[in-house]
Amino acid sequence: MTKRIGVLLSGRGSNFEALARVLPPGAFPTPKSPLSSATSRTRAGLERAKARGIETRLIPSKGLEREAYDRQVAAVLHEYEVDLICLAGYMRLLSPYFVAEFPQRILNIHPSLLPSFPGLESQKQALDYGVKVAGCTVHFVDENLDAGPIIVQAVVPVQDTDDEHALSERILKEEHRIYTEAVKIILEGSSRSWGGA
């Protein structure tokens, strides 16, 4: 039986698109995913989903405290019996309530080799620090920022000519590759952290 995936996105949806290209039919139940917070960048991501015949659910967050909003999102995920949640450029810190509702069932992709350079502007942090290698990490989400058990990482060499944009573009290509790899690991039950599913 195909597991159901919910995608939470806040941006253009390129990581969602990478997942949708390789996952089996039915992995994204309609009209069940991706879910999205409402931001000015979200429209492109939602359009990518619609182009693939995946209906979307826009859940506005304006005026809501973090947990109140997360309760709305969690209710929709429970309603549609989503097995795995993938954050794809999701620009909200999840509340302890949300994480507790889906233990070891939330994945995130981050553009650094965690635990180095968590948070925003990871590529800029890496360049400012002068590292010779950067990269990206897929990890389970816990209550802490960009923490939780690591599933897959990819290394991207830093070139002398790199600026933040150039490095970000090369990292993004690796993000697309390893996010799909990590999701397949989880869906195939190959990770000991996947709660025995």
Side-chain angles (χ1 to χ4, degrees):
M1 179 177 173
T2 302
K3 292 186 181 294
R4 294 179 173 181
I5 299 172
V7 178
L8 304 185
L9 59 85
S10 302
R12 58 186 178 175
S14 69
N15 271 310
F16 156 72
E17 180 93 10
L19 291 171
R21 280 197 301 265
V22 300
L23 293 178
F28 298 96
T30 55
K32 299 166 185 176
S33 63
L35 306 176
S36 175
S37 66
T39 72
S40 59
R41 296 178 61 239
T42 303
R43 183 177 304 274
L46 298 181
E47 290 303 321
R48 286 175 188 259
K50 289 177 183 177
R52 291 185 170 275
I54 299 172
E55 295 187 33
T56 61
R57 181 77 67 93
L58 183 67
I59 304 176
S61 59
K62 186 175 181 179
L64 294 176
E65 293 184 359
R66 183 163 46 132
E67 184 173 317
Y69 177 74
D70 282 357
R71 285 181 179 273
Q72 289 189 21
V73 177
V76 174
L77 292 166
H78 284 311
E79 176 186 350
Y80 294 121
E81 300 178 334
V82 168
D83 298 295
L84 183 66
I85 299 161
C86 295
L87 308 185
Y90 193 59
M91 299 303 291
R92 294 181 62 88
L93 184 62
L94 297 174
S95 65
Y97 164 81
F98 190 94
V99 174
E101 284 293 291
F102 305 98
Q104 300 297 306
R105 294 168 57 197
I106 308 168
L107 301 186
N108 184 46
I109 180 81
H110 183 74
S112 79
L113 294 172
L114 292 173
S116 298
F117 312 124
L120 298 175
E121 298 184 334
S122 298
Q123 301 92 333
K124 183 178 186 302
Q125 291 183 61
L127 290 172
D128 289 348
Y129 200 80
V131 299
K132 300 304 180 187
V133 293
C136 48
T137 304
V138 181
H139 64 96
F140 284 106
V141 174
D142 63 15
E143 297 84 359
N144 302 303
L145 177 65
D146 295 326
I150 290 170
I151 303 166
V152 182
Q153 291 184 305
V155 172
V156 175
V158 176
Q159 300 175 0
D160 292 341
T161 56
D162 272 340
D163 58 15
E164 186 178 354
H165 175 75
L167 180 59
S168 297
E169 285 300 310
R170 292 206 318 284
I171 290 174
L172 185 61
K173 291 179 182 177
E174 289 300 299
E175 286 184 40
H176 294 167
R177 181 181 67 80
I178 70 166
Y179 211 176
T180 57
E181 178 183 337
V183 169
K184 286 179 177 180
I185 289 170
I186 302 306
L187 295 183
E188 292 167 3
S190 300
S191 171
R192 288 174 292 181
S193 300
W194 174 236

